[in-house]
């Protein structure tokens, strides 16, 4: 049995993904929406993706809706397993779309730095989105740190 970075077993992560997928499947059934559910494991987390075959999921794929559904799914998993859940939910490619938006946001912040600002603050976002931003910033050759607490936690980008 392989151990993940956060000491959870692959079996526990697989169970988390299965419980999350069951929850999402029930939700889609209640809403009378279609979608193909895929479960994957990356970096010690379960990823549940819902592919849209008939554009039924367009309204559910908005970033704020996906984040809310992800939190509900995490609570459902925690209720079922008794363990804190870090499952990541993707609906109809919402994560890739959000990553593209974050890339544009980082590019605009870097433009401010290149125009003479000493630092560029980004708006508050989830820990997952901040991690994506840190990766994008590093790829661009800049430095970033998270600042603030709770819902106000945000990323600040600076030069080396």
């Amino acid at each position: 049995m392989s151990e993940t970075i956060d000491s959870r077993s692959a079996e526990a992560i697989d169970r988390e993904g299965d419980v999350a997928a069951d929850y999402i499947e029930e939700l889609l059934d209640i809403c009378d929406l279609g979608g193909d559910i895929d479960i994957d494991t990356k970096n010690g987390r379960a990823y549940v993706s819902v592919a849209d075959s008939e554009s039924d999921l367009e309204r559910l794929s908005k970033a704020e809706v996906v984040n809310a559904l992800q939190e509900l799914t995490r609570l459902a998993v925690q209720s079922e397993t008794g363990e804190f859940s870090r499952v990541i939910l993707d609906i109809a490619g919402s994560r890739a779309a959000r990553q593209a938006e974050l890339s544009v946001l980082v590019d605009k912040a870097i433009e401010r730095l290149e125009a003479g600002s000493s630092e560029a603050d980004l708006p508050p976002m989830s820990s997952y989105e901040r991690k994506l931003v840190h990766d994008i910033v590093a790829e661009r050759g800049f430095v970033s740190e998270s600042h603030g607490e709770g819902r106000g936690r945000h990323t600040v980008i600076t030069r080396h």
Side-chain angles (χ1 to χ4, degrees), residues 110 112-119 141-143 157-160:
I110 289 172
R112 293 194 309 262
L113 292 173
E114 291 173 341
S117 294
S118 61
E119 62 182 35
F142 288 80
V143 177
I157 303 171
T158 58
R159 295 183 179 273
H160 286 285

Side-chain angles (χ1 to χ4, degrees), residues 16-32:
E16 180 180 25
D18 288 340
V19 171
D22 288 346
Y23 177 78
I24 292 298
E25 185 173 24
E26 284 183 43
L27 177 73
L28 293 175
D29 286 345
I30 290 168
C31 297
D32 196 29

Side-chain angles (χ1 to χ4, degrees), residues 4 9 24 33-34 45 60 64 68 104-105 107 113 122 126 130 152:
T4 62
S9 69
I24 292 298
L33 295 172
R45 288 186 182 207
L60 293 182
E64 59 276 359
V104 169
L105 197 61
D107 289 342
L113 292 173
L122 299 182
S126 72
R130 287 194 313 275

Side-chain angles (χ1 to χ4, degrees), residues 17-18 20-21 24 35-42 46-51 87-90:
D18 288 340
I24 292 298
D36 298 320
I37 298 175
D38 184 47
I39 306 168
D40 197 8
T41 302
K42 298 181 229 172
Y47 282 73
V48 176
S49 301
V50 183
V87 69
I88 299 294
L89 180 62
D90 182 21

Side-chain angles (χ1 to χ4, degrees), residues 88-131:
I88 299 294
L89 180 62
D90 182 21
I91 298 178
S94 60
R95 293 291 172 193
R98 182 62 177 151
Q99 186 162 1
E101 291 172 3
L102 293 172
S103 185
V104 169
L105 197 61
V106 167
D107 289 342
K108 289 180 180 178
I110 289 172
E111 287 175 10
R112 293 194 309 262
L113 292 173
E114 291 173 341
S117 294
S118 61
E119 62 182 35
D121 290 11
L122 299 182
M125 56 187 72
S126 72
S127 61
Y128 178 77
E129 291 175 329
R130 287 194 313 275
K131 188 220 178 294

